[in-house]
Amino acid sequence: MTEARRIVIAPQTGQSISVERGDIIRIIDPQGQQVADLWAFVTDNRSALDWLSTSQTRDINERLFPRVGEHFYSTRGVPLLTLVEDASPGPHDMLFPACNRWLYERAGLPDHPSCQDNLVRAFEAVGIVLPAVPDPVDFFQNSLPSPDGRLDVIASINPPGGSVALRAERDLLLVVTACSVDFHPTNGDRCTEIVVEVTKGD
Ligand SMILES: [Zn+2]
């Protein structure tokens, strides 16, 4: 069996991770209640910039979030990732944007780390300047819509060690962040690390 690549994403930071078609990516929340944001960009077709689209994924699956066995799709409707296991109680989110510096400024917290800045930095570290910031997949985020349409983010209920596993359907550059929100119960009132394990597929 091939050894897994193990990437530790420190609290309130993010990292880019290259994966190949067939790789299994497990996103683990070791301490519990920590939201992990995920982006995916296609790297096996440089002539066509394409990335994971949360709105296309909702549309094609006709659901707020894929079930196990369903895909996350690109802006062109191409399957990029398959959710192969959900070893968490959920819920997960695909409605919210990444936390960003303006959100923290509105909360009276200038110069605060954010998932959006961490995404941009993770790309700059590999020489890519993003023209725009797509919306992320927010694993373990507890923000299901209320029946009246209200959207509240409440504390994640993910237990320590809760995880999800994805299979790459294309060669991708992923970015995973350990969400920076610490002024709101999103991450259980404390920001902790996220671990990503990548194993080669068959
Ligand atoms: Zn965040």
Side-chain angles (χ1 to χ4, degrees):
M1 194 178 136
T2 334
E3 207 175 305
R5 264 192 291 159
R6 189 168 186 274
I7 300 115
V8 179
I9 298 164
Q12 299 184 313
T13 71
Q15 284 191 48
S16 66
I17 303 162
S18 283
V19 298
E20 293 180 343
R21 184 175 169 192
D23 285 355
I24 300 294
I25 303 112
R26 185 172 289 280
I27 299 173
I28 306 159
D29 170 13
Q31 300 197 44
Q33 293 192 287
Q34 175 61 49
V35 172
D37 285 22
L38 168 77
W39 289 265
F41 299 83
V42 175
T43 53
D44 57 11
N45 184 359
R46 292 278 181 186
S47 62
L49 188 60
D50 201 8
W51 56 86
L52 191 162
S53 161
T54 53
S55 55
Q56 290 289 342
T57 299
R58 291 193 305 267
D59 182 15
I60 296 170
N61 289 317
E62 298 182 320
R63 300 180 60 80
L64 285 174
F65 203 87
R67 288 178 294 196
V68 169
E70 293 180 333
H71 306 303
F72 296 88
Y73 292 88
S74 79
T75 62
R76 297 167 186 226
V78 174
L80 300 187
L81 291 159
T82 303
L83 182 63
V84 291
E85 188 188 350
D86 188 355
S88 86
H92 310 289
D93 169 75
M94 263 190 350
L95 293 176
F96 279 78
C99 65
N100 56 67
R101 69 179 70 173
W102 304 284
L103 167 79
Y104 292 102
E105 283 178 11
R106 290 198 301 278
L109 297 165
D111 304 319
H112 191 283
S114 73
C115 287
Q116 179 165 327
D117 283 349
N118 287 333
L119 167 72
V120 171
R121 269 195 218 108
F123 262 71
E124 284 173 355
V126 290
I128 301 170
V129 177
L130 285 182
V133 175
D135 287 336
V137 177
D138 303 312
F139 288 110
F140 319 127
Q141 181 170 307
N142 191 1
S143 53
L144 285 177
S146 299
D148 69 354
R150 186 170 170 79
L151 287 172
D152 276 322
V153 184
I154 57 177
S156 172
I157 58 167
N158 200 37
S163 70
V164 292
L166 306 159
R167 183 179 61 240
E169 304 300 344
R170 298 283 295 265
D171 295 350
L172 301 168
L173 184 64
L174 308 178
V175 173
V176 178
T177 62
C179 182
S180 302
V181 170
D182 54 5
F183 67 97
H184 194 79
T186 311
N187 296 305
D189 291 321
R190 68 190 185 118
C191 291
T192 55
E193 75 279 15
I194 288 289
V195 170
V196 181
E197 288 179 353
V198 181
T199 45
K200 284 279 152 217
D202 298 327

